[in-house]
Amino acid sequence: MSGTKEHTKDTARVVAGLKAAVHNPNVSDEAKDNALKRLEEMGQSADPITPAQAKATQTAAAEAHEKNVLRGYKAATSNPNVSEEAKQHAREVLEAAGIQHKLDTHSDEEHQHRVLAGYKAAIHNPNVSAAAKQHAREYLADSGFTDVI
């Protein structure tokens, strides 16, 4: 045995890649033509899609992209590492898109109250590990709550 291994391409994967190239809107017409020629040489067809199917696919992709962009703006409004100017811009973009974003209007006191409530709930949750329950008890004790410990 010579220790070298001959590498061969899986024909099914090559065909799949060529078909994907033919249907990908980001691939140039020249590359699509080359892929079609290679498929013909291999005795395969590209199973062409109709222009209506192509348009529907592009529209769906554009809509999905727009939703992701808006999710990013929504996340920016509550990210502490984002400047106030950028947060304001994100709010304006969301408003222009017709998305009502509930701003974090609760006070620090209300936030702390919610944190403590979460730790209290963790102590009584059967799905929480013993270590996490112990951490919750310690946090509550440090915060002056001894009635749930």
Side-chain angles (χ1 to χ4, degrees), residues 110-133:
E110 187 176 357
H111 172 74
Q112 184 61 24
H113 177 77
R114 291 179 181 182
V115 169
L116 294 172
Y119 280 118
K120 289 177 187 178
I123 291 172
H124 301 290
N125 186 337
N127 297 321
V128 173
S129 70
K133 287 182 180 185

mmCIF file of all heavy atoms in Angstrom, residues 110-133:
data_model
loop_
_atom_site.group_PDB
_atom_site.id
_atom_site.type_symbol
_atom_site.label_atom_id
_atom_site.label_comp_id
_atom_site.label_asym_id
_atom_site.label_seq_id
_atom_site.Cartn_x
_atom_site.Cartn_y
_atom_site.Cartn_z
ATOM 1 N N GLU A 110 -38.105 49.075 39.618
ATOM 2 C CA GLU A 110 -38.966 48.036 39.052
ATOM 3 C C GLU A 110 -38.128 46.910 38.449
ATOM 4 O O GLU A 110 -38.475 45.740 38.573
ATOM 5 C CB GLU A 110 -39.896 48.632 37.994
ATOM 6 C CG GLU A 110 -40.924 47.642 37.488
ATOM 7 C CD GLU A 110 -41.912 48.244 36.509
ATOM 8 O OE1 GLU A 110 -41.850 49.467 36.252
ATOM 9 O OE2 GLU A 110 -42.738 47.481 35.989
ATOM 10 N N HIS A 111 -37.030 47.273 37.826
ATOM 11 C CA HIS A 111 -36.140 46.259 37.267
ATOM 12 C C HIS A 111 -35.620 45.346 38.377
ATOM 13 O O HIS A 111 -35.628 44.118 38.242
ATOM 14 C CB HIS A 111 -34.974 46.919 36.525
ATOM 15 C CG HIS A 111 -33.930 45.944 36.088
ATOM 16 N ND1 HIS A 111 -34.119 45.077 35.034
ATOM 17 C CD2 HIS A 111 -32.692 45.672 36.583
ATOM 18 C CE1 HIS A 111 -33.045 44.329 34.898
ATOM 19 N NE2 HIS A 111 -32.158 44.671 35.814
ATOM 20 N N GLN A 112 -35.145 45.939 39.468
ATOM 21 C CA GLN A 112 -34.633 45.148 40.591
ATOM 22 C C GLN A 112 -35.730 44.254 41.150
ATOM 23 O O GLN A 112 -35.485 43.101 41.504
ATOM 24 C CB GLN A 112 -34.054 46.060 41.678
ATOM 25 C CG GLN A 112 -33.409 45.315 42.820
ATOM 26 C CD GLN A 112 -32.237 44.445 42.381
ATOM 27 O OE1 GLN A 112 -31.597 44.671 41.367
ATOM 28 N NE2 GLN A 112 -31.966 43.411 43.150
ATOM 29 N N HIS A 113 -36.954 44.772 41.212
ATOM 30 C CA HIS A 113 -38.087 43.983 41.704
ATOM 31 C C HIS A 113 -38.302 42.756 40.809
ATOM 32 O O HIS A 113 -38.529 41.640 41.308
ATOM 33 C CB HIS A 113 -39.348 44.859 41.722
ATOM 34 C CG HIS A 113 -40.576 44.137 42.151
ATOM 35 N ND1 HIS A 113 -40.838 43.831 43.460
ATOM 36 C CD2 HIS A 113 -41.608 43.632 41.430
ATOM 37 C CE1 HIS A 113 -41.985 43.171 43.541
ATOM 38 N NE2 HIS A 113 -42.469 43.050 42.321
ATOM 39 N N ARG A 114 -38.172 42.937 39.501
ATOM 40 C CA ARG A 114 -38.338 41.824 38.552
ATOM 41 C C ARG A 114 -37.210 40.806 38.692
ATOM 42 O O ARG A 114 -37.433 39.600 38.592
ATOM 43 C CB ARG A 114 -38.403 42.355 37.128
ATOM 44 C CG ARG A 114 -39.684 43.130 36.850
ATOM 45 C CD ARG A 114 -39.696 43.660 35.457
ATOM 46 N NE ARG A 114 -40.916 44.429 35.215
ATOM 47 C CZ ARG A 114 -41.224 44.979 34.063
ATOM 48 N NH1 ARG A 114 -40.397 44.850 33.029
ATOM 49 N NH2 ARG A 114 -42.337 45.645 33.921
ATOM 50 N N VAL A 115 -36.003 41.278 38.916
ATOM 51 C CA VAL A 115 -34.861 40.370 39.107
ATOM 52 C C VAL A 115 -35.094 39.514 40.344
ATOM 53 O O VAL A 115 -34.927 38.283 40.315
ATOM 54 C CB VAL A 115 -33.533 41.158 39.226
ATOM 55 C CG1 VAL A 115 -32.399 40.266 39.693
ATOM 56 C CG2 VAL A 115 -33.193 41.816 37.896
ATOM 57 N N LEU A 116 -35.486 40.150 41.432
ATOM 58 C CA LEU A 116 -35.740 39.407 42.667
ATOM 59 C C LEU A 116 -36.873 38.405 42.488
ATOM 60 O O LEU A 116 -36.796 37.269 42.976
ATOM 61 C CB LEU A 116 -36.053 40.371 43.811
ATOM 62 C CG LEU A 116 -34.895 41.282 44.234
ATOM 63 C CD1 LEU A 116 -35.378 42.333 45.229
ATOM 64 C CD2 LEU A 116 -33.746 40.477 44.803
ATOM 65 N N ALA A 117 -37.913 38.791 41.772
ATOM 66 C CA ALA A 117 -39.030 37.878 41.504
ATOM 67 C C ALA A 117 -38.551 36.662 40.705
ATOM 68 O O ALA A 117 -38.998 35.536 40.949
ATOM 69 C CB ALA A 117 -40.142 38.605 40.747
ATOM 70 N N GLY A 118 -37.645 36.890 39.780
ATOM 71 C CA GLY A 118 -37.094 35.777 38.996
ATOM 72 C C GLY A 118 -36.314 34.807 39.860
ATOM 73 O O GLY A 118 -36.438 33.584 39.711
ATOM 74 N N TYR A 119 -35.518 35.329 40.772
ATOM 75 C CA TYR A 119 -34.769 34.456 41.683
ATOM 76 C C TYR A 119 -35.715 33.702 42.616
ATOM 77 O O TYR A 119 -35.515 32.516 42.901
ATOM 78 C CB TYR A 119 -33.739 35.250 42.488
ATOM 79 C CG TYR A 119 -32.473 35.533 41.715
ATOM 80 C CD1 TYR A 119 -32.078 36.828 41.436
ATOM 81 C CD2 TYR A 119 -31.671 34.487 41.271
ATOM 82 C CE1 TYR A 119 -30.920 37.078 40.722
ATOM 83 C CE2 TYR A 119 -30.513 34.722 40.565
ATOM 84 C CZ TYR A 119 -30.138 36.027 40.294
ATOM 85 O OH TYR A 119 -28.982 36.257 39.587
ATOM 86 N N LYS A 120 -36.768 34.378 43.099
ATOM 87 C CA LYS A 120 -37.745 33.695 43.954
ATOM 88 C C LYS A 120 -38.421 32.569 43.188
ATOM 89 O O LYS A 120 -38.618 31.465 43.712
ATOM 90 C CB LYS A 120 -38.798 34.688 44.459
ATOM 91 C CG LYS A 120 -38.283 35.662 45.486
ATOM 92 C CD LYS A 120 -39.382 36.650 45.880
ATOM 93 C CE LYS A 120 -38.860 37.734 46.785
ATOM 94 N NZ LYS A 120 -39.916 38.717 47.116
ATOM 95 N N ALA A 121 -38.759 32.825 41.939
ATOM 96 C CA ALA A 121 -39.402 31.798 41.115
ATOM 97 C C ALA A 121 -38.467 30.626 40.871
ATOM 98 O O ALA A 121 -38.896 29.466 40.875
ATOM 99 C CB ALA A 121 -39.854 32.400 39.789
ATOM 100 N N ALA A 122 -37.186 30.908 40.690
ATOM 101 C CA ALA A 122 -36.206 29.851 40.441
ATOM 102 C C ALA A 122 -36.132 28.880 41.617
ATOM 103 O O ALA A 122 -35.982 27.668 41.421
ATOM 104 C CB ALA A 122 -34.837 30.463 40.167
ATOM 105 N N ILE A 123 -36.259 29.389 42.824
ATOM 106 C CA ILE A 123 -36.181 28.538 44.011
ATOM 107 C C ILE A 123 -37.313 27.508 44.020
ATOM 108 O O ILE A 123 -37.132 26.374 44.448
ATOM 109 C CB ILE A 123 -36.206 29.397 45.293
ATOM 110 C CG1 ILE A 123 -34.898 30.179 45.400
ATOM 111 C CG2 ILE A 123 -36.436 28.546 46.536
ATOM 112 C CD1 ILE A 123 -34.880 31.203 46.508
ATOM 113 N N HIS A 124 -38.463 27.888 43.506
ATOM 114 C CA HIS A 124 -39.635 27.008 43.545
ATOM 115 C C HIS A 124 -39.842 26.224 42.251
ATOM 116 O O HIS A 124 -40.769 25.426 42.161
ATOM 117 C CB HIS A 124 -40.885 27.833 43.846
ATOM 118 C CG HIS A 124 -40.801 28.563 45.151
ATOM 119 N ND1 HIS A 124 -40.844 27.918 46.370
ATOM 120 C CD2 HIS A 124 -40.622 29.873 45.430
ATOM 121 C CE1 HIS A 124 -40.721 28.803 47.330
ATOM 122 N NE2 HIS A 124 -40.574 30.005 46.804
ATOM 123 N N ASN A 125 -38.977 26.420 41.269
ATOM 124 C CA ASN A 125 -39.120 25.749 39.981
ATOM 125 C C ASN A 125 -38.432 24.387 40.032
ATOM 126 O O ASN A 125 -37.226 24.308 40.243
ATOM 127 C CB ASN A 125 -38.515 26.618 38.873
ATOM 128 C CG ASN A 125 -38.743 26.061 37.488
ATOM 129 O OD1 ASN A 125 -38.962 24.874 37.307
ATOM 130 N ND2 ASN A 125 -38.669 26.935 36.498
ATOM 131 N N PRO A 126 -39.180 23.300 39.794
ATOM 132 C CA PRO A 126 -38.567 21.968 39.865
ATOM 133 C C PRO A 126 -37.563 21.698 38.740
ATOM 134 O O PRO A 126 -36.772 20.766 38.839
ATOM 135 C CB PRO A 126 -39.758 21.013 39.756
ATOM 136 C CG PRO A 126 -40.824 21.803 39.084
ATOM 137 C CD PRO A 126 -40.607 23.227 39.497
ATOM 138 N N ASN A 127 -37.569 22.509 37.696
ATOM 139 C CA ASN A 127 -36.650 22.319 36.576
ATOM 140 C C ASN A 127 -35.317 23.044 36.757
ATOM 141 O O ASN A 127 -34.464 22.987 35.885
ATOM 142 C CB ASN A 127 -37.301 22.774 35.273
ATOM 143 C CG ASN A 127 -38.520 21.937 34.940
ATOM 144 O OD1 ASN A 127 -38.530 20.733 35.137
ATOM 145 N ND2 ASN A 127 -39.567 22.584 34.458
ATOM 146 N N VAL A 128 -35.157 23.730 37.866
ATOM 147 C CA VAL A 128 -33.930 24.474 38.143
ATOM 148 C C VAL A 128 -32.999 23.596 38.979
ATOM 149 O O VAL A 128 -33.431 22.944 39.932
ATOM 150 C CB VAL A 128 -34.259 25.802 38.867
ATOM 151 C CG1 VAL A 128 -33.006 26.518 39.316
ATOM 152 C CG2 VAL A 128 -35.087 26.697 37.956
ATOM 153 N N SER A 129 -31.724 23.590 38.625
ATOM 154 C CA SER A 129 -30.751 22.748 39.333
ATOM 155 C C SER A 129 -30.563 23.217 40.771
ATOM 156 O O SER A 129 -30.844 24.366 41.121
ATOM 157 C CB SER A 129 -29.405 22.785 38.610
ATOM 158 O OG SER A 129 -28.803 24.063 38.766
ATOM 159 N N ALA A 130 -30.049 22.310 41.572
ATOM 160 C CA ALA A 130 -29.780 22.632 42.981
ATOM 161 C C ALA A 130 -28.759 23.761 43.094
ATOM 162 O O ALA A 130 -28.883 24.643 43.959
ATOM 163 C CB ALA A 130 -29.296 21.389 43.715
ATOM 164 N N ALA A 131 -27.753 23.746 42.224
ATOM 165 C CA ALA A 131 -26.733 24.796 42.263
ATOM 166 C C ALA A 131 -27.338 26.159 41.931
ATOM 167 O O ALA A 131 -27.015 27.169 42.570
ATOM 168 C CB ALA A 131 -25.605 24.466 41.291
ATOM 169 N N ALA A 132 -28.221 26.187 40.947
ATOM 170 C CA ALA A 132 -28.856 27.458 40.583
ATOM 171 C C ALA A 132 -29.788 27.932 41.689
ATOM 172 O O ALA A 132 -29.881 29.137 41.958
ATOM 173 C CB ALA A 132 -29.621 27.297 39.273
ATOM 174 N N LYS A 133 -30.479 27.001 42.325
ATOM 175 C CA LYS A 133 -31.345 27.378 43.450
ATOM 176 C C LYS A 133 -30.508 27.953 44.593
ATOM 177 O O LYS A 133 -30.899 28.932 45.222
ATOM 178 C CB LYS A 133 -32.152 26.175 43.929
ATOM 179 C CG LYS A 133 -33.268 25.792 42.978
ATOM 180 C CD LYS A 133 -34.069 24.620 43.516
ATOM 181 C CE LYS A 133 -35.169 24.275 42.527
ATOM 182 N NZ LYS A 133 -36.074 23.233 43.020
#
